[in-house]
Every structure is written in C-alpha cells, then in structure tokens.
Amino acid sequence: DGGITQSPKYLFRKEGQNVTLSCEQNLNHDAMYWYRQDPGQGLRLIYYSQIVNDFQKGDIAEGYSVSREKKESFPLTVTSAQKNPTAFYLCASSISGTFASGYTFGSGTRLTVV
Amino acid sequence: GESVGLHLPTLSVQEGDNSIINCAYSNSASDYFIWYKQESGKGPQFIIDIRSNMDKRQGQRVTVLLNKTVKHLSLQIAATQPGDSAVYFCAVVVTDSWGKFQFGAGTQVVVTP
C-alpha cells in the first residue's frame, strides 16, 4: 500500500543535540512538506520541497534543516539552534501542481527535549 | 498573511446528534478548502474538500458548506458517533501559494454517550 512513513514515532533529544526525523513516501509524489504542531495551534510549515534537490523555507525554518536527495525521502534535522523543539512533527506529500484531496500525511513524530 | 480560525476549541456533542464545526478565513483569493480529522497521536486524515465555485458538498455523513461572502466554511457531521471524537481542522489554499495550506488551530470534538 502507498503511503508516508515517519520514524521514529517518539524521539527524545538532549540539550545541544541535533536529531533527524525520517520521512519516506512511496506515492510517487513530487512535493513534500514538514509541519510542526503545538497544542492549540494550527500546523506551521517548516520546510517544503517541490522537486528533488530543491527545497524552500516555510514560516518557521529557523533551527531546522532538510535535504531532498531522493524523491522518496525528505528528512528533517532539528538542530541545537532550535530553542523550543518539543512538538509533534508531521510530514506530508502531494502530487506536484495539483491540490486534489490535499496532502497525504504521515503519522507523526513526537519530539521531546529531556 | 492568511488568517484561518476556528470558532470553538472544544465541541461536546451527544452520540446521535449532529455536529457543526466552523472555520473562518480572511483571504478572498482562497479557492480550495479541506477538512481534516486528526485522532490523538496520529496524522490528519482527509475528510472532504470543496472548491470556491461550490457552496455545498456532501460525503458520507459529512457536509461542507462554503459562504464566500462572509469567508466562512463549516463541517457538518450527521448522527455523530464515538469514532468521530477527534480534532477537526480546516485548511485553506490560496491559489498562488503552490500547494501550501494554511491550517486552523482545530476543534476538539468530544462525543458523549
């Protein structure tokens, strides 16, 4: 079955550490996205990528980095520069150039700073 | 920037009753609207969508209404069931934002027996 897989489901980060969240899709979608979700707030866009080897900053990119070396993969690194990284992170993908049925979302990664 | 808001943070509804969840948006250029359901600890799931050239669209037990004049859309769930307990988001697409959606904060629907 096609879909988006995020791993790990839970991740714990120590102060000053970088951590990488994985996002893999087998939907053959060109576009991929990373969102952050905090209680009581709507999803906020961190980074997005329309095509391999290209990505753009979203609304809250500071303290995060991404890569898009393969169409299927769009990993997110939460760096030590991100001062408040505890949140639920969602990866999504969509067929490039269309909005049909919106995004397909992964099941999320919950990151906690310890 | 786009403003997308939901009117109520929590909606308590009795099993079998109808639920209505509201969403307001500010940008008149918005032309595509989606409702998502998110269960605790999971990613959002697509429920139903509507384009700006429509006022109403129906799915299985769900109806979305769009009022472009007042920039408001609503999701109606008929005969609410315990499995409908979740957070519901509206998402708003502006044509020139290339697939980037603005999401509302969500309404927590709690179904009581």
Side-chain angles (χ1 to χ4, degrees), chain B residues 19-50:
Chain B
S19 303
I20 300 177
I21 306 161
N22 297 303
C23 183
Y25 62 97
S26 60
N27 192 332
S28 58
S30 304
D31 62 355
Y32 181 55
F33 309 86
I34 306 164
W35 281 100
Y36 288 94
K37 173 186 180 182
Q38 186 177 22
E39 297 176 348
S40 180
K42 298 183 179 179
Q45 293 178 294
F46 171 89
I47 301 174
I48 192 168
D49 59 0
I50 189 169

Side-chain angles (χ1 to χ4, degrees), chain A residues 9 31 33 35 37 40-43 45 48-50 59 88 90 96-97 99-103 105-108 110, chain B residues 31-32 34 36 38 41-46 49 51 87 89 93-95 97-106:
Chain A
K9 188 173 178 63
Y33 312 79
Y35 282 91
Q37 187 174 37
Q41 298 189 40
L43 303 183
L45 182 65
Y48 66 101
S49 169
Q50 300 178 14
D59 301 319
F88 191 57
L90 285 163
S96 178
F99 306 130
S101 299
Y103 293 168
F105 282 94
S107 57
R110 185 166 298 281
Chain B
D31 62 355
Y32 181 55
I34 306 164
Y36 288 94
Q38 186 177 22
K42 298 183 179 179
Q45 293 178 294
F46 171 89
D49 59 0
R51 296 197 177 274
V87 174
F89 298 100
V93 179
V94 178
T95 302
S97 68
W98 193 91
K100 289 187 293 180
F101 298 166
Q102 296 288 331
F103 292 91

Side-chain angles (χ1 to χ4, degrees), chain A residues 43-92:
Chain A
L43 303 183
R44 291 184 290 168
L45 182 65
I46 303 172
Y47 269 98
Y48 66 101
S49 169
Q50 300 178 14
I51 196 168
V52 174
N53 293 322
D54 185 55
F55 49 83
Q56 307 294 330
K57 291 182 179 180
D59 301 319
I60 56 165
E62 184 175 352
Y64 300 96
S65 66
V66 293
S67 62
R68 187 86 186 277
E69 297 176 0
K70 298 186 299 181
K71 186 176 185 177
E72 302 79 19
S73 179
F74 191 40
L76 173 74
T77 297
V78 183
T79 74
S80 58
Q82 170 51 242
K83 297 307 179 187
N84 185 24
T86 295
F88 191 57
Y89 291 87
L90 285 163
C91 180

